[in-house]
Amino acid sequence: AGTAGKDVTICEGNDAQIIGYAANYDNLLWTSAGDGTFNDANISSPIYTPGVQDIDNGGAVLTLTIEGNAQTITDEMEVNIVKNVQFEQLANTSFCLVAEPQTLEVAIEGDYSSILWNSDGDGVFSNPTELTTEYTPGENDIANGEFNITVEVETAGCGTFAFDYEVAIFAMPVMSIEQSEFETCLGEGIEVPVSMSGVGTVNPEEPDFWIDIDGEIYELNEGDGQISIPAMAEAGLYELNVLGYGNQSCGYELAEGEQVVTVNVIGNVG
């Protein structure tokens, strides 16, 4: 007679104490459907050490086979494994210097029951219990130029995992255009003097700034430069919307929305 006992749940990295029972037997053997090992497969209550495959599968089925009194009895039980929590780097570890909601996202592997975002600053989370949330920096965050984010994850019986990230706040670049009204002849382009300041190069492999003029992107490798606008196809009055972006992608817009450059293209006279 005998039984494999009740199912067991353990945390990843721990061994499983099996509580089986056997009586009046000649032979007893434990086997695993996984790749773990027993400290003694011939006793009724062994210790089972899960293997890599067991951990990947979230557990393993163990079988107890008992022979005696001209009969064979088999019984099964399961070892369930709560996987450790693994965090991947936050999708965004830099913010722009504005008191507006900005997205944070983290990828988590493992078994967990809840998640909670925290900050050592004075900002506010929109959904602090979701994998993807938005954080609006507070006055102190902006004044300090950085803040720390903590992601806490609660597991089912295996404790809490917490990971900290430092989030930098980049100043918004300031864009100015010295001349906003131009007149040119058909077939001729213009040179727009643009000045950008506020943020240096974050990624040295990229230009310091980008200028967006009606959807066309121009690079500005230093704070001041001339943006060459090609000739218009037809005569007329054109209004070009201009936006500036820094190396770390924090865009700048004037209070009214966009900087407008006006170009009057004069047609050729007979």
Side-chain angles (χ1 to χ4, degrees):
T3 176
K6 296 181 178 180
D7 295 343
V8 175
T9 298
I10 61 172
C11 303
E12 180 181 343
N14 292 345
D15 295 336
Q17 175 64 67
I18 311 303
I19 307 298
Y21 171 77
N24 301 319
Y25 63 89
D26 297 322
N27 296 301
L28 178 154
L29 180 65
W30 283 96
T31 56
S32 171
D35 61 342
T37 58
F38 298 92
N39 68 328
D40 188 339
N42 303 117
I43 60 176
S44 60
S45 297
I47 294 174
Y48 180 74
T49 301
V52 174
Q53 179 183 326
D54 295 338
I55 295 173
D56 289 342
N57 293 335
V61 175
L62 308 184
T63 301
L64 173 62
T65 302
I66 302 172
E67 297 177 347
N69 296 325
Q71 62 177 340
T72 299
I73 299 173
T74 60
D75 191 26
E76 294 181 347
M77 57 84 63
E78 289 189 35
V79 174
N80 300 302
I81 302 171
V82 177
K83 296 182 182 179
N84 289 338
V85 172
Q86 301 291 332
F87 286 73
E88 293 184 11
Q89 182 69 26
L90 286 176
N92 181 21
T93 54
S94 64
F95 271 36
C96 299
L97 190 62
V98 289
E100 298 177 357
Q102 299 176 61
T103 301
L104 287 166
E105 182 177 7
V106 66
I108 302 175
E109 294 183 358
D111 300 321
Y112 65 95
S113 55
S114 64
I115 178 175
L116 181 64
W117 293 86
N118 287 296
S119 166
D120 67 353
D122 60 340
V124 178
F125 291 97
S126 60
N127 299 296
T129 58
E130 301 291 338
L131 286 175
T132 300
T133 186
E134 289 185 335
Y135 182 78
T136 302
E139 292 182 2
N140 292 339
D141 294 334
I142 291 175
N144 294 332
E146 63 181 18
F147 57 94
N148 291 315
I149 290 292
T150 300
V151 186
E152 293 185 356
V153 171
E154 188 74 27
T155 64
C158 292
T160 300
F161 291 79
F163 290 81
D164 298 321
Y165 300 92
E166 183 177 298
V167 180
I169 300 179
F170 291 107
M172 302 289 281
V174 178
M175 179 183 68
S176 63
I177 298 177
E178 297 178 7
Q179 180 182 350
S180 60
E181 295 183 359
F182 297 85
E183 186 172 272
T184 186
C185 297
L186 186 63
E188 297 180 359
I190 62 171
E191 298 287 326
V192 180
V194 177
S195 176
M196 293 284 291
S197 63
V199 179
T201 299
V202 176
N203 183 350
E205 297 180 358
E206 299 288 347
D208 288 348
F209 304 100
W210 290 271
I211 305 299
D212 181 335
I213 302 181
D214 269 13
E216 293 292 328
I217 305 299
Y218 302 86
E219 295 182 358
L220 191 63
N221 288 308
E222 296 180 355
D224 301 299
Q226 300 282 333
I227 302 299
S228 299
I229 307 299
M232 305 299 178
E234 299 178 357
L237 186 64
Y238 293 83
E239 289 188 347
L240 307 178
N241 298 313
V242 184
L243 295 175
Y245 295 87
N247 183 278
Q248 79 298 335
S249 298
C250 291
Y252 172 79
E253 297 183 18
L254 298 182
E256 62 269 22
E258 297 173 328
Q259 173 75 55
V260 177
V261 171
T262 303
V263 183
N264 184 23
V265 181
I266 302 172
N268 295 326
V269 178

